[in-house]
Amino acid sequence: MRELLNHLRTHLNQICPSYLQTLSHVSYPHITLEPGQILQGLPWGPRIVLIDIKIWSRYAGVKEILSLAKGVDTLLSNYVPLTFDVSIKTLDSTLTLLPDEQTRVHTFRLKARLPGGIS
């Protein structure tokens, strides 16, 4: 899974700075990748991984975050890693204004299917 997250982060850096963890002092806009639940049946079988891609913006409106979200959506639609086999499906996407009334977060919830043996 680490290989997939690093590969996604590298591609998302084309849109804006991307990180594999939430950092406290980062300029806006930026993207974080947050792995979630991992499901695996047989030890050698495929794994299903839930991943949240979050776009963070403090622009005083939705224009910036919607533009970045469109870029991420396009990137995910065309995403094909050359070094390993993975299939990705976007389950949903949401736009939220945080209680500070300055920060907007657009979240893409992904389901990735990795073959056995990919780390």
Side-chain angles (χ1 to χ4, degrees), residues 52-105:
D52 286 342
I53 295 178
K54 295 183 178 181
I55 307 167
W56 301 80
S57 172
R58 286 205 171 156
Y59 185 79
V62 296
K63 183 177 181 179
E64 178 183 67
I65 200 157
L66 291 178
S67 174
L68 293 170
K70 182 174 177 154
V72 169
D73 188 43
T74 301
L75 186 137
L76 292 173
S77 296
N78 300 321
Y79 181 74
V80 179
L82 300 175
T83 57
F84 56 93
D85 184 29
V86 64
S87 63
I88 292 180
K89 179 180 180 181
T90 301
L91 299 175
D92 63 25
S93 70
T94 57
L95 178 59
T96 307
L97 178 62
L98 298 183
D100 68 4
E101 296 186 6
Q102 292 181 328
T103 309
R104 287 178 173 75
V105 181

Side-chain angles (χ1 to χ4, degrees), residues 40 42-47 114-119:
Q40 184 170 15
L42 300 171
W44 59 86
R47 287 182 287 165
L114 298 163
I118 299 291
S119 60

Side-chain angles (χ1 to χ4, degrees), residues 1-14 20 33 75 79-84 86 88:
M1 182 173 74
R2 187 175 308 129
E3 185 179 359
L4 171 62
L5 292 174
N6 283 326
H7 198 264
L8 275 171
R9 184 185 58 79
T10 301
H11 280 54
L12 290 168
N13 272 329
Q14 299 170 24
L20 295 178
L33 284 88
L75 186 137
Y79 181 74
V80 179
L82 300 175
T83 57
F84 56 93
V86 64
I88 292 180

